[in-house]
Amino acid sequence: MKLIDNNNSKYTRFSVKSFNRRQWAGFFVVLGSLFLVILALVGTFMPEQSYAIDYNHKYAAPSLSYLFGTDELGRDMFYRTLKGLALSIKIGLMAAFVSSCIALVLGTLSAVFGGKVDSCILWLIDLCLGIPHIILILMISVSLGGGEIGVTIGVIATHWAHLTRLMRAEIMQLRNQPYVHVARGYGHSYFTIGRKHFIPHVLPQYIIGLVLLLPHAILHEAGITFLGYGLPLDVPAIGIILSESMKHISVGMWWLGFFPGLLLMVIVLIFDRVGTALREILDPMRSQK
């Protein structure tokens, strides 16, 4: 694109090609995060009247009045889907944040103290990874009586292991650095060294790991609600919506499962891409490209 300055007859060039990968990644992080925040806020504060039962408009096909159509009770599937996605994002955020905090603490303890502490934490990691996530979430959720709290705790208890290994590996490399030995020689405790050196160093990896945990947490929450566990059937969760749509797809009402599933996939992909974009921003080698 060329802009002509009439005063000095010189050309000023501006091109999107001048953006490097880090600038494009930052643009996508802002845009994607803004979209997700708006979606979560709209769904959270949406009144129940928006997707209330209306028997006069049962099984309405997608139209300008009903973008995603209506179900067997005449409920607007567009607003019901937004409400379900907001709930999934809420559970995913809580689960990913707590899981990442657990990973940071356990990874730091394992790397710093070593010995029996390291062996115990590694045993817990192997135990968690040795059981399929969906089965472990179901066991924990059912044993806690289901509900939003049971589902959230189940997701938390199964999503910390991989990030713990990453934090442990990063901090073990730092522990052998000369400045850490010098700090220990001056009498500084590992707590002080961790607060001033370890945590700031692994903070970028922690943030990226936190964001990349979100799509896994959302999909696992949707998976167990799809199977009929965890949340009550009257809650507009995205897994329940997809489960209810299965009995209607075979008779031609494809919109009941297509649009909620498509929007869930878009949300998960946005979270995944935001995590990848953060890696582009925080990685010094990638940021120079």
Side-chain angles (χ1 to χ4, degrees):
M1 176 179 179
K2 296 181 179 180
L3 301 177
I4 301 178
D5 188 351
N6 294 326
N7 295 327
N8 52 19
S9 300
K10 292 182 179 180
Y11 291 96
T12 303
R13 296 180 178 272
F14 173 78
S15 174
V16 295
K17 294 182 178 180
S18 61
F19 285 10
N20 57 30
R21 291 175 59 179
R22 189 181 188 186
Q23 291 170 326
W24 277 116
F27 174 76
F28 185 85
V29 168
V30 173
L31 190 63
S33 300
L34 183 62
F35 172 77
L36 293 171
V37 168
I38 292 175
L39 177 63
L41 291 177
V42 170
T44 301
F45 296 103
M46 181 184 298
E48 293 185 6
Q49 291 78 7
S50 301
Y51 51 92
I53 295 175
D54 184 4
Y55 291 109
N56 295 322
H57 297 89
K58 295 191 300 182
Y59 298 124
S63 63
L64 293 178
S65 300
Y66 302 101
L67 296 179
F68 290 0
T70 62
D71 60 5
E72 71 275 10
L73 299 179
R75 294 173 294 191
D76 193 317
M77 292 300 296
F78 175 73
Y79 294 112
R80 197 160 180 250
T81 300
L82 292 183
K83 191 71 174 181
L85 287 173
L87 178 61
S88 296
I89 292 174
K90 175 185 174 182
I91 293 176
L93 282 172
M94 290 191 297
F97 175 74
V98 178
S99 294
S100 61
C101 290
I102 293 173
L104 181 61
V105 172
L106 292 181
T108 303
L109 293 176
S110 179
V112 170
F113 292 101
K116 293 183 179 180
V117 175
D118 186 30
S119 300
C120 181
I121 293 176
L122 288 177
W123 179 82
L124 289 175
I125 293 174
D126 293 336
L127 178 64
C128 181
L129 295 178
I131 305 175
H133 281 180
I134 194 69
I135 296 177
L136 189 55
I137 295 173
L138 286 175
M139 293 170 57
I140 296 173
S141 177
V142 172
S143 64
L144 294 176
E148 187 175 329
I149 296 178
V151 173
T152 304
I153 294 177
V155 176
I156 289 172
T158 57
H159 286 74
W160 55 271
H162 288 292
L163 188 57
T164 301
R165 278 186 170 177
L166 176 62
M167 295 293 100
R168 174 182 175 272
E170 290 289 335
I171 296 175
M172 286 190 72
Q173 292 180 355
L174 292 177
R175 194 180 64 175
N176 297 321
Q177 295 298 317
Y179 64 86
V180 174
H181 294 296
V182 172
R184 289 291 295 166
Y186 278 106
H188 293 291
S189 65
Y190 271 122
F191 177 80
T192 303
I193 296 173
R195 180 171 54 86
K196 292 184 177 180
H197 300 291
F198 291 167
I199 302 301
H201 180 85
V202 301
L203 189 60
Q205 291 87 340
Y206 169 79
I207 295 174
I208 295 170
L210 168 62
V211 176
L212 292 178
L213 277 178
L214 285 168
H216 293 277
I218 291 174
L219 284 177
H220 280 106
E221 179 274 331
I224 62 172
T225 53
F226 177 83
L227 294 174
Y229 297 92
L231 299 176
L233 295 178
D234 59 336
V235 175
I238 195 68
I240 294 175
I241 293 173
L242 292 174
S243 178
E244 292 175 348
S245 69
M246 292 298 100
K247 57 186 177 182
H248 301 292
I249 291 179
S250 60
V251 293
M253 299 170 189
W254 53 271
W255 59 85
L256 297 178
F258 175 77
F259 290 113
L262 178 64
L263 202 52
L264 174 64
M265 182 183 68
V266 170
I267 295 302
V268 170
L269 289 177
I270 289 177
F271 271 118
D272 184 72
R273 186 65 186 92
V274 167
T276 305
L278 282 175
R279 185 181 302 169
E280 296 281 351
I281 296 173
L282 299 175
D283 189 339
M285 298 299 296
R286 292 173 179 264
S287 64
Q288 302 300 322
K289 297 181 180 180

